[in-house]
Amino acid sequence: MNKQYWGLAWCLAALCCVPAATAATVLERISAGGKLVIAHRESAVPFSYVASGKPVGYAVDLCLRLAEVVRKKTGAKDMAVEFVMVSPANRIEMIEQGKADLECGSTTNNAERRQKVAFTVPHFITGARLLTKASSSMDRLEDLQGKILASTQGTTPLKAVTQANRERLMGIKIVEAPDHARGVEMVEKGEADAFLMDDVLLYGLAAARPDPKALKVVGRFVTTEPLAIMLPKNDPEFKKLVDEEMKRLITSREIYPIYDKWFAQPIPPHNKPLNIPVSYLLRDFWKYPTDQVPF
């Protein structure tokens, strides 16, 4: 190959590398007229769910506050906000692949997930417990030996109980539910003896059922779950803006009325309150808000 062709080959190779090197950040894209894409969930009550055909919830309200900060930072007064529904199975992939800018739901910030995505300051701290029929005598994980336990696919409670079941030879048959609502339905229909998920979600899911008193939440915490909004891993400017606003909402206490709206007051679709006060774990964590969690 002569020098002329070598030069052409190098130029083509360099051009092929340009898109990856100059990929726009979230703020750059929006400054250029792009939209902010918010991922939401279908049934993660009260964090992110669909009511009257639109996404609502505690995490959704927080993300809308973050959207306002993005709008001001970029000067994009006409910035469009698009909602896209995700599931426990594809939520990380949607952020990782750039199909959504913020995932506003009930996702746990842990070390494994931080390899793929970033998280801002936790907006809730919970733990996984069991949902069973009110008539059931089970009140702890060990009582499920030889029985069927459901948990939602792609979640940390499912991973934790699968590991515990294997290592402690508990003899539990574990089945995956495609989403939280289906997990509750499996218990109601007798397809599973219990459903394992974050207890705050269990209370919300049970409250939305036709007969809430037919279900109960029992057991010790199987996991500790700091829930936080997901965002792209390699976009430090966007993350800094999001982190600063989350910290401001917490230290100014503006987050407390948002919390009370979804955990202390009646919420759609049944207009019943969950009556869940801010836990001591969350209150202590919010004294010095940070995106760093020991998990």
Side-chain angles (χ1 to χ4, degrees), residues 110-183:
N110 61 29
E112 180 182 355
R113 289 171 175 169
R114 289 194 296 272
Q115 298 298 313
K116 299 179 179 180
V117 297
F119 290 88
T120 187
V121 181
H123 53 262
F124 201 87
I125 298 178
T126 185
R129 296 174 68 197
L130 300 168
L131 180 79
T132 68
K133 289 184 178 180
S135 58
S136 172
S137 61
M138 291 180 294
D139 60 11
R140 58 179 188 159
L141 190 63
E142 290 78 5
D143 294 336
L144 281 159
Q145 183 174 5
K147 299 185 183 298
I148 300 174
L149 173 66
S151 192
T152 308
Q153 66 181 100
T155 62
T156 51
L158 174 62
K159 183 175 181 180
V161 76
T162 300
Q163 182 176 344
N165 189 43
R166 181 178 64 251
E167 294 177 351
R168 294 160 56 185
L169 304 176
M170 302 179 75
I172 302 171
K173 181 180 179 181
I174 299 173
V175 296
E176 297 185 10
D179 54 47
H180 302 330
R182 174 61 182 142

Side-chain angles (χ1 to χ4, degrees), residues 21 30 35 48 86 103 131 146 162 225 242 277 291:
I30 291 170
K35 59 191 174 184
S48 179
V86 296
E103 189 267 341
L131 180 79
T162 300
E225 313 281 344
V242 170
D291 65 323

Side-chain angles (χ1 to χ4, degrees), residues 66-226:
L66 296 175
E68 283 302 311
V69 173
V70 171
R71 185 177 282 114
K72 291 177 182 177
K73 177 71 175 180
T74 58
K77 296 181 180 180
D78 298 324
M79 180 190 79
V81 174
E82 178 181 312
F83 284 97
V84 57
M85 189 163 68
V86 296
S87 69
N90 72 358
R91 54 187 167 172
I92 295 174
E93 176 183 301
M94 292 290 284
I95 294 293
E96 190 180 14
Q97 295 181 357
K99 296 178 180 178
D101 302 314
L102 296 166
E103 189 267 341
C104 309
S106 55
T107 299
T108 300
N109 175 359
N110 61 29
E112 180 182 355
R113 289 171 175 169
R114 289 194 296 272
Q115 298 298 313
K116 299 179 179 180
V117 297
F119 290 88
T120 187
V121 181
H123 53 262
F124 201 87
I125 298 178
T126 185
R129 296 174 68 197
L130 300 168
L131 180 79
T132 68
K133 289 184 178 180
S135 58
S136 172
S137 61
M138 291 180 294
D139 60 11
R140 58 179 188 159
L141 190 63
E142 290 78 5
D143 294 336
L144 281 159
Q145 183 174 5
K147 299 185 183 298
I148 300 174
L149 173 66
S151 192
T152 308
Q153 66 181 100
T155 62
T156 51
L158 174 62
K159 183 175 181 180
V161 76
T162 300
Q163 182 176 344
N165 189 43
R166 181 178 64 251
E167 294 177 351
R168 294 160 56 185
L169 304 176
M170 302 179 75
I172 302 171
K173 181 180 179 181
I174 299 173
V175 296
E176 297 185 10
D179 54 47
H180 302 330
R182 174 61 182 142
V184 178
E185 187 180 71
M186 291 172 74
V187 173
E188 291 176 322
K189 293 183 175 181
E191 298 171 10
D193 297 288
F195 174 53
L196 180 76
M197 191 42 57
D198 301 344
D199 69 340
V200 63
L201 294 177
L202 296 180
Y203 283 117
L205 289 161
R209 305 306 291 177
D211 185 9
K213 293 182 179 180
L215 300 166
K216 64 180 179 180
V217 178
V218 300
R220 301 185 299 270
F221 283 134
V222 177
T223 62
T224 301
E225 313 281 344

